[in-house]
Structures are given as C-alpha cells and as structure tokens.
Amino acid sequence: MLTGQGCPATMLSIKDALEALEGKWKLLILFSPSSRPKRFRQVAKDVEGITDKILSKELKALEANQLVKREVFSTFPPTVEYSITPHGRSLEKVLAELHYWGLAHRKTIIGK
Amino acid sequence: MLTGQGCPATMLSIKDALEALEGKWKLLILFSPSSRPKRFRQVAKDVEGITDKILSKELKALEANQLVKREVFSTFPPTVEYSITPHGRSLEKVLAELHYWGLAHRKTIIGK
C-alpha cells in the first residue's frame, strides 16, 4: 500500500475511516463501554484527561456513525447508558495494528 | 482488545499512535511520497482538498515523528524533497486495516 502509488479508491476508504475516527479521543472512548454498557460518568473516568464537553461531543459523533449506542432507561431519575455496537467492535483489527505500531513508535521515537 | 476491559498499557500505545497520526491528513499525506520523493507542490496536488498552510504544518509534524524526511538540495533555486522513512513505511498494516474498515464503514453507514 505504501510501496506504490496510493490509488484513489484506497485513499477514499482511508479518508472515510479517518473521518469517522477523527481526533485522538474516539478510539480511546470506544474502549470504555467495550466490556459492558457504561454511564457517561464512568466513561469520563475511564478516558483519562478528557473534559465532559469534549466527551459529550465525541459520544454524539460515535453514535451518529453507529459505533456506540445510547440508551435511555425510564428510571427515576432517567439513566443513560452507552454500549459498543457490532460496527464499533469491527474496529478490533484497526486497534490491534495501532497498538503494535504505537509500541514500536514509543520505542523508536518517544523513547529516544 | 474490544472484547474485554482495555488495559492501561494498550491504551497508552494506542494513544501514542493516535497522537503521532492525529487528524485526518497525516496518513493521507504519507501516501504521496511513498512511491518516490516528492516536492511540496506535488504532495499538495496528491492530497485533495488540503491547503498549503495545513500541509506545511502536517509535514513538519510528520518530520518530527520521523515519518517523512525533508531534504534540501543545493540547486539554484534550492530544491526541497520529501520522502517516506522506514518508520513511515511501518504504518503499512495500520493503513491496510483502516482501508478494509473504511470500505465496510462506507457500505454500512455512509452508503445507507
């Protein structure tokens, strides 16, 4: 892929992916409700360094792209839970490759 | 990875990767000099929709992370060429997975 000229179709699909996952937060947020549905406050606690305002914005974007599902339960007061969708889980391989590359990057560049 | 609780070490490496690749441009820019070294103007032409100002900023960030190499040749006037580094090429698998996911995402979500 990086050995020849990037073809327009490949660039389009990568652009699609990058637009859905834009920024440094979305993939990290996805980890939080991956084990079980979580409430906003729990997600905020799991994702170190994120502000409530940004988390709220990012969760909305993830919901729009059907990566997380937001459910409101009619308890008193109402409870809201976020869970990961099958489409969100399909990012597994992307995350695995980012993980391996991030390890190598830390060793090569950050660790220097 | 998305089936259990994300462990802190995995989140750190993914955070490292996302910080190095932040935004929607960097990976797309990397395609351009992957076949052969290119001048700024050629890269700008390859990456559809990017402004010169952003391209210049992104190339500097890619250079700082040793993903591209900038070389100045003492021609008259001086020529500047950007090439991809081995560390940049090591993103191959990340790009491949993003490509596959982007295709599925377009089919599932954008195409709806």
Side-chain angles (χ1 to χ4, degrees):
Chain A
M1 202 166 278
L2 282 175
T3 46
Q5 181 64 50
C7 81
T10 307
M11 286 189 83
L12 175 67
S13 58
I14 290 178
K15 207 172 178 176
D16 284 345
L18 294 176
E19 275 171 11
L21 311 172
E22 201 179 350
K24 63 176 175 179
W25 295 114
K26 290 190 183 70
L27 287 172
L28 296 176
I29 294 169
L30 272 187
F31 269 104
S32 172
S34 68
S35 49
R36 56 180 173 81
K38 289 199 181 161
R39 296 174 66 168
F40 184 92
R41 192 52 41 216
Q42 296 170 311
V43 178
K45 213 174 158 186
D46 286 347
V47 185
E48 217 175 300
I50 200 164
T51 62
D52 284 1
K53 198 180 158 186
I54 292 182
L55 178 55
S56 169
K57 198 181 128 251
E58 295 288 39
L59 279 169
K60 272 186 194 130
L62 288 169
E63 208 194 334
N65 276 311
Q66 296 179 31
L67 298 170
V68 298
K69 195 174 130 190
R70 179 181 185 270
E71 271 183 297
V72 183
F73 297 95
S74 56
T75 49
F76 184 81
T79 331
V80 179
E81 275 189 354
Y82 294 91
S83 56
I84 192 165
T85 62
H87 188 49
R89 266 191 219 286
S90 74
L91 280 162
E92 176 75 28
K93 281 186 183 170
V94 170
L95 279 171
E97 290 305 335
L98 277 172
H99 165 60
Y100 299 135
W101 190 83
L103 283 178
H105 181 63
R106 177 162 284 264
K107 216 173 149 186
T108 319
I109 311 294
I110 306 174
K112 263 185 185 166
Chain B
M1 202 167 280
L2 283 176
T3 47
Q5 180 65 48
C7 81
T10 307
M11 285 188 84
L12 174 67
S13 58
I14 290 177
K15 206 172 178 176
D16 284 345
L18 294 176
E19 275 170 11
L21 310 173
E22 200 178 352
K24 64 174 175 179
W25 295 113
K26 291 190 183 69
L27 287 171
L28 296 176
I29 293 169
L30 272 186
F31 268 104
S32 172
S34 68
S35 49
R36 56 180 173 82
K38 287 199 181 162
R39 296 173 68 167
F40 184 91
R41 194 49 44 214
Q42 295 169 311
V43 178
K45 213 173 158 186
D46 286 347
V47 185
E48 217 176 299
I50 199 164
T51 63
D52 284 1
K53 197 179 159 187
I54 292 181
L55 177 56
S56 169
K57 196 181 129 251
E58 295 289 38
L59 280 168
K60 272 187 194 131
L62 288 170
E63 208 194 334
N65 277 311
Q66 297 179 31
L67 298 169
V68 298
K69 195 174 131 190
R70 180 182 184 270
E71 273 183 296
V72 183
F73 297 95
S74 57
T75 48
F76 183 81
T79 331
V80 178
E81 274 189 354
Y82 294 91
S83 55
I84 192 166
T85 63
H87 188 49
R89 264 190 221 288
S90 74
L91 281 162
E92 176 75 29
K93 282 186 184 171
V94 171
L95 280 171
E97 289 305 335
L98 278 172
H99 165 60
Y100 299 135
W101 190 83
L103 282 177
H105 181 63
R106 175 163 285 264
K107 216 171 147 187
T108 318
I109 311 293
I110 307 175
K112 264 185 184 168

